[in-house]
């Protein structure tokens, strides 16, 4: 159970203790290991349901818990968002074809700690524009993470991401954001992927949150489909996303969900 005596900022952001970093690292590693395993599954002819079935089985095999099964009625162990789906894509009968790009988002609970991460994959061979979108999105995430250190602000994170994405003539989705986590799935703060340098609350050692920029080749606007989950680009342009869970340290940050195999895209090592 979450320790209610722990310090919380005026904006409701919990400040975790040094010992809590180990719990988050353990949860993040499990989630990242599962995404490493998914690399071998993604190929033309495979359904998104088959990928989700594998993830569910792997979570059960490891003796941990899926954070998404049962969350607000959701019944899958992952979200799988293909091509112009921005986020929260529901696994199903869709068959991947050559060149499809997809984001797979997994959250597990390990000893009460939440490990939340997502990564891009390609079925077969991606087009150059799709591959570039993925590369820009990953670099934007890492630039946002590089801005995480005590004394910086959440606006610094957003500005680093937005500046890089827009310099590459792509757009940052504004309808969804990162979030605090720890012994809860979602908590303050909302981590925007755009913003102004110096704006927002100041980062403090012990803050845990996700950074998960969604980047579109076209315009940033999205819409949610009738299933109340799937978000797509309004102009049907391709979208990509990467997500890491991080904790603010005394000198910078710790990435809890880094790939043990050093992967960030299934065609790259």
């Amino acid at each position: 159970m979450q320790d209610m005596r722990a310090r919380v900022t005026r904006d409701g952001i919990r400040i975790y203790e040094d010992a809590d970093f180990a719990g988050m690292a353990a949860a993040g590693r499990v989630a990242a290991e599962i995404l490493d395993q998914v690399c071998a599954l993604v190929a033309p002819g495979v359904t998104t349901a088959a990928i989700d079935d594998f993830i569910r089985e792997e979570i059960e095999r490891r003796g941990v818990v899926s954070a998404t099964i049962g969350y607000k009625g959701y019944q899958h162990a992952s979200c799988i968002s293909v091509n112009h789906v921005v986020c929260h894509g529901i696994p199903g009968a869709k068959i991947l074809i050559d060149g499809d790009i997809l984001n797979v988002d997994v959250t597990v609970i390990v000893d009460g700690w939440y490990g939340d991460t997502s990564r891009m994959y390609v079925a077969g061979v991606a087009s150059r524009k799709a591959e570039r979108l993925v590369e820009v999105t990953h670099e934007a995430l890492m630039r946002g993470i590089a801005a995480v250190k005590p004394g910086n602000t959440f606006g610094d994170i957003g500005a680093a991401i937005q500046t890089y994405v827009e310099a590459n003539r792509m757009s940052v989705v504004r309808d969804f954001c990162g979030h605090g986590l720890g012994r809860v799935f979602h908590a303050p703060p909302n981590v925007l992927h755009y913003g102004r340098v110096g704006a927002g609350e100041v980062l403090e050692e012990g803050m845990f949150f996700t950074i998960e920029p969604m980047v579109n080749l076209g315009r940033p606007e999205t819409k949610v489909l009738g299933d109340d989950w799937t978000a797509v680009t309004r102009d049907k342009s391709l979208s990509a996303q990467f997500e890491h869970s991080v904790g603010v340290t005394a000198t910078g940050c710790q990435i809890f969900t880094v790939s043990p195999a050093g992967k960030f895209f299934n065609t790259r090592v």
Side-chain angles (χ1 to χ4, degrees):
M1 181 178 293
Q2 186 166 325
D3 183 359
M4 299 309 293
R5 297 171 298 174
R7 186 166 72 84
V8 176
T9 72
R10 58 186 172 84
D11 288 337
I13 304 171
R14 176 170 176 175
I15 306 300
Y16 286 89
E17 304 296 327
D18 288 348
D20 297 331
F21 280 74
M24 285 296 290
R29 183 179 179 88
V30 170
E33 286 175 347
I34 292 171
L35 290 189
D36 281 350
Q37 292 175 291
V38 168
C39 290
L41 300 178
V42 177
V46 174
T47 66
T48 55
I51 296 170
D52 185 70
D53 287 344
F54 168 82
I55 292 168
R56 182 194 300 261
E57 291 165 3
E58 187 60 22
I59 288 171
E60 292 174 354
R61 186 188 71 80
R62 290 168 176 264
V64 299
V65 177
S66 168
T68 55
I69 296 175
Y71 179 77
K72 296 185 177 180
Y74 195 76
Q75 294 302 314
H76 302 275
S78 64
C79 293
I80 302 180
S81 304
V82 183
N83 292 334
H84 72 292
V85 179
V86 175
C87 60
H88 304 157
I90 301 174
K94 179 176 177 56
I95 299 172
L96 298 176
I97 64 173
D98 186 56
D100 279 346
I101 60 170
L102 55 152
N103 176 273
V104 180
D105 191 337
V106 172
T107 308
V108 297
I109 309 170
V110 180
D111 295 329
W113 296 100
Y114 285 72
D116 188 3
T117 186
S118 78
R119 195 182 303 173
M120 293 301 296
Y121 301 83
V122 60
V125 180
S127 68
R128 179 55 193 144
K129 68 177 182 179
E131 189 172 51
R132 183 168 173 270
L133 169 65
V134 171
E135 291 168 348
V136 167
T137 305
H138 184 263
E139 177 63 19
L141 168 66
M142 300 313 294
R143 290 185 181 220
I145 289 173
V148 177
K149 63 180 180 179
N152 277 4
T153 68
F154 284 100
D156 294 336
I157 298 171
I161 293 168
Q162 180 182 7
T163 300
Y164 180 74
V165 169
E166 293 180 353
N168 281 277
R169 298 187 178 183
M170 299 177 193
S171 64
V172 177
V173 171
R174 288 160 167 74
D175 296 334
F176 301 94
C177 61
H179 55 87
L181 82 171
R183 287 192 176 273
V184 292
F185 197 172
H186 296 98
N190 289 333
V191 182
L192 304 181
H193 303 118
Y194 60 95
R196 293 183 294 106
V197 171
E201 183 151 358
V202 175
L203 301 173
E204 296 184 44
E205 183 180 358
M207 290 180 172
F208 295 166
F209 50 85
T210 69
I211 305 176
E212 47 186 293
M214 288 144 272
V215 176
N216 297 345
L217 269 180
R219 293 187 54 82
E221 293 85 6
T222 70
K223 64 179 180 179
V224 177
L225 302 183
D227 59 25
D228 292 329
W229 285 103
T230 307
V232 300
T233 55
R234 282 192 174 271
D235 62 5
K236 298 185 179 180
S237 62
L238 289 176
S239 187
Q241 179 189 20
F242 284 92
E243 175 183 16
H244 274 315
S245 297
V246 304
V248 184
T249 66
T251 58
C253 79
Q254 179 177 348
I255 304 174
F256 298 126
T257 48
V258 66
S259 163
K263 297 176 182 289
F264 77 91
F265 188 30
N266 67 315
T267 61
R268 296 283 187 272
V269 178

